[in-house]
Amino acid sequence: MSAGIHFISAGAGSGKTFRLTRELRERLALGRVEPAGVIATTFTRLAASELQERVRRALIEAGEHSTALRMEQALIGTVNGVCGELLRRFAFEAGMPPEQQVIDESQGNVLFYQAMELALAGDRPRLRRMNALCHRLQIVDQRSRQQLWRQEVKKIVDAARANNQSAADIRDLGSASAAALLAHFPPATARDLSADLLAAVNHALPQVDTSYDPTQDTAAYLSRLQQAQAAMIKRTLTWPEWIGLAKGKTGAKSRAIAEPVSAVAARFAQHPQLQADLGDFCSEVFTIAAASLDTYQQLKNRKGLIDFVDQEQRLYQLLDHPDVAAVLREELQLLLVDEFQDTSPIQLALFLKLSALADDVIWVGDIKQSIYGFRGADPALMDAVVARLAEQGSVPEVLPQSWRSTAALVKYSNALFAPAFADTLPADRVTLQAARPAAETPPEPAVECWQLEGRNKPERAAALASGIRALLASERQVCDKDTRQLRGIRCRDIAILCRTHVNLAECAAALARAGLPIRYQRPGLLATPEGCLAMACLRRLIDPADTLASAEIISLTECSNPEQWLGERLDWLADPEA
């Protein structure tokens, strides 16, 4: 790791963008770096544009007009934007065409699932085996009951690619994964636990008397026993259902009857079939993941496509090219890495290679804000970097003040998060000092809790709208961002966060009915059922082998005549009451 990395720990509202702007502006104004010698990565295109414009504005205000005009020469963008630009520049050395067709994440997901279907085409025994394993282990969506083994395969592939692993690297990892999991299990027993459980259930059933023990718990337990007996006879009992028998709850009068069933069911971890199912599932998903990854890469190559991870992997390999490394070592004066806490392993490896080629390096991040674990980011990476830098004598700089929030809110946040991170971070990397003047602090409390009354979501959304109307009619004050003066609260000062899109739509409808102006991004045309069906039909016409398109048509229409379904749908839209 480069000893020249300067790491800045910047909490939310601590002036991170201001600090980055100052660091870049000062180096440019003093002539320590040239715009063409700057590479800066941020998390979004908007953040990249904001950083570039802030620096340009600051340079103009300082009279550095020539340098400000040359800011377009700086390479400032998202990680994938920077990767794409460098790959285009060094396309010859990378063995790639100068113009690359890059697919986004959603397009890559569609293509990957097509690749998975192609990889499994004709292998009906494996499909039946995976479906059976999913059923017994209940790896399913609890609402739709859709089997989720394909999603588990996708997670493995995503993790492998984030760690720069190929299909060959993961193909044989299933047995090791199964062994690591089963190491936490007791040795399998030689007893026939399935026969023991069925015998215990058969013995308990005639003894459960709901007239003698009329409690709801006992009635529910009796129903569970009857369902389990039928499933065991048909050999369709799932492992969650088996485990549920170990936790069966009855009324006090029936507990002695339930104990023998619970005693056998509680030995589920010793069941050789459960251990075999877990081992088989681990092995199969890794095997399918390797085959799908191979097919996915072949599909992209055949179509001349690359995705975001391909960009990172290709640039990582390209930086080992002697000519490319020599050019960048000569040109790269400053490397800025923002939002480092959301860095994946391949991105970390890429940044380390770039850092070794740069004269000056600044990394900025905050472990408390790491939210992209589903994309391969791991806060442990940031901890490891900070620890390694400390070993090399580089102490992280901490931005200690909060310029965004009022003193009361900063105090509340400190009290909430300092104990939560006590076993992970020292207090000085969690707590902030309020920097906003007291004159900007409204007299009202910083945090309130509203209890919304209503039997269902629409009623609670209506209650929320009513509460917001009352809030706007009150004398509640906020600090104006432009004038820094207290004023009455307005609609644009209020943001509403919901857990799901369904809740968001209901809240938006309630606010609109209450006559409140709202900004709410509704789904586009292609996200409607009609749009999805039309796109699936077009894909199916182009490629009759597109099984994903066929599945979408079937799932959306629930019939063999899409035209009939579409006509009925349009009739319903014209007159929902008909």
Side-chain angles (χ1 to χ4, degrees):
M1 181 180 293
S2 173
I5 297 175
H6 178 57
F7 183 77
I8 301 175
S9 178
S14 61
K16 175 192 66 176
T17 305
F18 176 85
R19 176 59 181 276
L20 288 178
T21 302
R22 190 187 75 184
E23 293 283 351
L24 187 50
R25 174 185 59 79
E26 288 180 352
R27 285 167 169 78
L28 290 167
L30 294 173
R32 291 170 54 187
V33 302
E34 293 293 321
V38 174
I39 292 180
T41 69
T42 60
F43 203 71
T44 64
R45 288 189 291 269
L46 180 63
S49 299
E50 181 185 6
L51 177 60
Q52 193 166 42
E53 288 306 312
R54 280 195 182 192
V55 173
R56 182 185 285 111
R57 191 183 313 119
L59 287 168
I60 292 173
E61 292 172 355
E64 299 288 339
H65 299 283
S66 175
T67 306
L69 288 173
R70 290 185 288 119
M71 272 305 296
E72 292 295 334
Q73 299 174 8
L75 182 49
I76 302 176
T78 63
V79 176
N80 295 108
V82 168
C83 289
E85 190 61 38
L86 290 175
L87 287 173
R88 279 187 290 273
R89 179 182 175 187
F90 298 104
F92 177 77
E93 289 82 357
M96 300 173 64
E99 293 301 322
Q100 301 142 23
Q101 189 173 350
V102 183
I103 56 176
D104 62 26
E105 188 174 354
S106 60
Q107 293 169 322
N109 288 340
V110 171
L111 191 62
F112 176 80
Y113 283 113
Q114 289 178 353
M116 188 188 302
E117 294 302 322
L118 287 174
L120 291 171
D123 196 349
R124 293 187 178 276
R126 173 162 277 142
L127 286 171
R128 286 195 294 268
R129 187 159 58 250
M130 287 304 297
N131 290 335
L133 286 169
C134 256
H135 171 72
R136 291 198 295 271
L137 295 170
Q138 280 296 282
I139 304 175
V140 298
D141 183 273
Q142 294 305 310
R143 290 186 177 181
S144 67
R145 307 308 298 170
Q146 177 188 7
Q147 294 187 337
L148 300 179
W149 62 265
R150 289 176 174 81
Q151 287 84 337
E152 294 301 319
V153 169
K154 181 68 163 55
K155 290 177 184 177
I156 291 172
V157 170
D158 289 344
R161 301 187 72 214
N163 285 275
N164 202 26
Q165 292 178 298
S166 66
D169 294 328
I170 66 172
R171 182 166 285 111
D172 299 323
L173 292 182
S175 56
S177 177
L181 173 63
L182 294 176
H184 299 282
F185 281 63
T189 181
R191 286 191 62 87
D192 187 347
L193 292 179
S194 295
D196 289 350
L197 183 63
L198 180 58
V201 169
N202 289 339
H203 182 71
L205 269 173
Q207 299 185 64
V208 179
D209 186 351
T210 52
S211 60
Y212 171 68
D213 183 0
T215 61
Q216 290 184 350
D217 286 340
T218 298
Y221 182 72
L222 176 60
S223 177
R224 176 178 287 184
L225 283 184
Q226 292 168 339
Q227 293 171 5
Q229 183 190 51
M232 282 187 285
I233 292 172
K234 297 177 182 177
R235 298 182 181 275
T236 59
L237 186 71
T238 67
W239 292 114
E241 290 170 338
W242 177 297
I243 295 169
L245 292 175
K247 304 174 182 178
K249 184 179 179 182
T250 67
K253 296 179 180 179
S254 302
R255 285 174 188 164
I257 300 172
E259 284 176 359
V261 176
S262 298
V264 178
R267 299 182 63 187
F268 63 90
Q270 297 176 272
H271 203 303
Q273 187 59 55
L274 172 60
Q275 297 190 17
D277 283 351
L278 291 171
D280 290 345
F281 185 82
C282 290
S283 297
E284 290 290 350
V285 290
F286 274 94
T287 300
I288 296 171
S292 301
L293 179 53
D294 260 340
T295 307
Y296 179 54
Q297 301 291 43
Q298 293 167 12
L299 271 180
K300 287 185 295 181
N301 292 339
R302 190 159 64 244
K303 296 174 181 290
L305 306 173
I306 63 171
D307 61 20
F308 293 155
V309 179
D310 290 327
Q311 289 182 314
E312 295 163 359
Q313 292 176 334
R314 295 288 185 91
L315 183 58
Y316 176 78
Q317 297 164 0
L318 180 62
L319 292 177
D320 289 331
H321 193 289
D323 294 339
V324 175
V327 171
L328 290 178
R329 187 177 290 108
E330 181 180 351
E331 295 181 353
L332 186 52
Q333 298 170 313
L334 175 64
L335 174 67
L336 287 174
V337 178
D338 191 14
E339 303 290 1
F340 176 67
Q341 72 276 357
D342 286 320
T343 296
S344 67
I346 180 62
Q347 290 173 345
L348 171 60
L350 183 59
F351 292 149
L352 288 173
K353 280 192 176 182
L354 284 172
S355 297
L357 302 173
D359 298 333
D360 197 4
V361 182
I362 300 175
W363 288 2
V364 183
D366 178 23
I367 193 172
K368 303 187 300 301
Q369 299 183 64
S370 181
I371 60 172
Y372 279 86
F374 63 92
R375 288 183 177 171
D378 188 345
L381 293 175
M382 184 171 170
D383 274 345
V385 169
V386 173
R388 185 65 180 274
L389 290 174
E391 292 174 2
Q392 298 176 349
S394 177
V395 179
E397 178 186 356
V398 179
L399 300 185
Q401 294 180 302
S402 171
W403 302 90
R404 180 182 300 164
S405 302
T406 61
L409 194 55
V410 172
K411 182 178 180 181
Y412 175 82
S413 178
N414 289 342
L416 187 66
F417 288 105
F421 284 93
D423 59 345
T424 306
L425 296 171
D428 64 344
R429 285 184 57 192
V430 179
T431 59
L432 294 172
Q433 304 162 16
R436 286 178 58 174
E440 297 181 4
T441 303
E444 292 83 6
V447 178
E448 293 182 7
C449 181
W450 289 9
Q451 296 291 338
L452 301 178
E453 296 184 359
R455 293 172 297 177
N456 51 42
K457 289 182 180 180
E459 287 187 2
R460 289 192 290 273
L464 175 64
S466 177
I468 291 176
R469 288 192 64 179
L471 177 65
L472 292 167
S474 71
E475 298 180 355
R476 188 66 175 261
Q477 291 185 310
V478 297
C479 181
D480 190 278
K481 292 182 179 181
D482 298 322
T483 66
R484 314 309 299 179
Q485 300 294 319
L486 295 180
R487 60 164 173 77
I489 192 169
R490 302 169 186 168
C491 288
R492 65 184 178 90
D493 300 318
I494 300 172
I496 299 174
L497 305 180
C498 298
R499 286 185 62 88
T500 67
H501 286 294
V502 173
N503 292 349
L504 192 65
E506 289 173 346
C507 285
L511 292 168
R513 285 193 296 269
L516 296 171
I518 59 171
R519 292 179 61 188
Y520 166 52
Q521 186 174 0
R522 292 169 174 80
L525 176 63
L526 294 183
T528 63
E530 296 85 354
C532 292
L533 177 61
M535 291 300 295
C537 289
L538 288 173
R539 296 204 316 272
R540 181 68 172 75
L541 284 172
I542 294 171
D543 182 7
D546 190 338
T547 53
L548 181 61
S550 301
E552 288 181 0
I553 292 170
I554 293 171
S555 65
L556 285 168
T557 62
E558 296 182 355
C559 67
S560 59
N561 191 338
E563 293 181 2
Q564 176 186 346
W565 176 87
L566 187 56
E568 293 173 353
R569 174 75 176 178
L570 292 173
D571 290 342
W572 181 87
L573 288 174
D575 187 7
E577 301 299 329

